[in-house]
């Protein structure tokens, strides 16, 4: 007399009959990794937005930046205390326009560098979706360079409000992304993905 095969107590294949190998379920993406991706993308977008403000603002934005620098701290730009941008503009005439044009070139160069870093961070964020070590290392290396140059320089030079806000956002969000890169759940997720095949 033959008996029907009995089911495995955990709901697997019947005992005595090998079943197909069940692949391990992919691990769930931890919230820390999602936060890393969001902060990295937002830092990049903040830097890119600042660059677009510089390009769109052109000479008017450069003029506002020079006026802010002279009016806020004239001694830092080599002028006597109490000097205003209106005084300088009235006395120098066309020389003021030359200073503004030169400063517009400086601002555009910084904006281009900020845009390059922003694109790099977006690419590295794509790599970090899986917790990839190379992407986290590149985010960690890129953010401090971008913080020092150009964003810290932009803030130092009495940037107009919108530009100062985008640079501040890029700095704060970039630092948060660097911290999130190295929190344990991100590394564990990468290992779990590797184990799941």
């Amino acid at each position: 007399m033959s008996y029907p095969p009995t089911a495995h107590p955990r709901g697997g294949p019947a005992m005595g009959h090998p079943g197909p190998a069940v692949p391990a379920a992919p691990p769930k993406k931890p919230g820390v990794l999602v936060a890393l991706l969001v902060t990295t993308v937002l830092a990049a977008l903040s830097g890119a937005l600042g660059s677009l403000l510089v390009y769109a603002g052109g000479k008017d934005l450069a003029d506002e930046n020079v006026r802010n620098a002279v009016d806020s701290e004239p001694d830092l730009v080599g002028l006597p205390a109490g000097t205003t941008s209106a005084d300088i503009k009235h006395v120098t005439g066309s020389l003021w326009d030359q200073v503004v044009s030169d400063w517009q070139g400086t601002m555009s160069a910084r904006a281009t560098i900020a845009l390059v870093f922003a694109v790099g961070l977006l690419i590295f964020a794509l790599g970090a979706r899986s917790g990839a070590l190379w992407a986290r290392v590149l985010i960690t290396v890129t953010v401090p360079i971008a913080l020092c140059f150009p964003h810290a320089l932009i803030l130092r030079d009495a940037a107009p409000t919108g530009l100062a806000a985008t640079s501040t956002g890029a700095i704060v969000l970039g630092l948060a992304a660097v911290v999130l890169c190295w929190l344990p759940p991100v590394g564990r997720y990468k290992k779990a993905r590797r184990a799941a095949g």
Side-chain angles (χ1 to χ4, degrees), residues 18-172:
V22 178
K28 186 177 181 219
K29 202 171 274 193
V32 172
L33 181 59
V34 173
L36 164 63
L37 299 175
V38 169
T39 55
T40 304
V41 168
L42 289 177
L45 292 177
S46 187
L49 179 60
S51 297
L52 295 177
L53 287 174
V54 169
Y55 298 140
K59 195 166 184 174
D60 290 338
L61 187 68
D63 185 75
E64 181 182 350
N65 198 175
V66 172
R67 281 187 285 115
N68 286 351
V70 170
D71 291 341
S72 65
E73 298 182 76
D75 55 325
L76 286 181
V77 291
L79 297 170
T83 305
T84 67
S85 58
D87 298 336
I88 301 297
K89 194 171 183 177
H90 178 71
V91 171
T92 60
S94 63
L95 185 58
W96 177 268
D97 290 335
Q98 182 59 45
V99 168
V100 169
S101 293
D102 290 346
W103 188 246
Q104 181 184 4
T106 300
M107 289 179 72
S108 293
R110 289 179 182 173
T112 301
I113 293 167
L115 193 56
V116 168
F117 283 127
V119 169
L121 282 176
L122 287 174
I123 292 168
F124 305 150
L126 286 174
R129 288 180 309 164
S130 64
L133 181 62
W134 67 266
R136 292 185 288 146
V137 168
L138 289 173
I139 290 170
T140 303
V141 169
T142 301
V143 167
I145 295 170
L147 297 186
C148 295
F149 185 79
H151 295 297
L153 293 177
I154 290 169
L155 293 176
R156 184 198 70 184
D157 292 329
T161 306
L163 194 53
T166 57
S167 283
T168 301
I171 289 171
V172 171

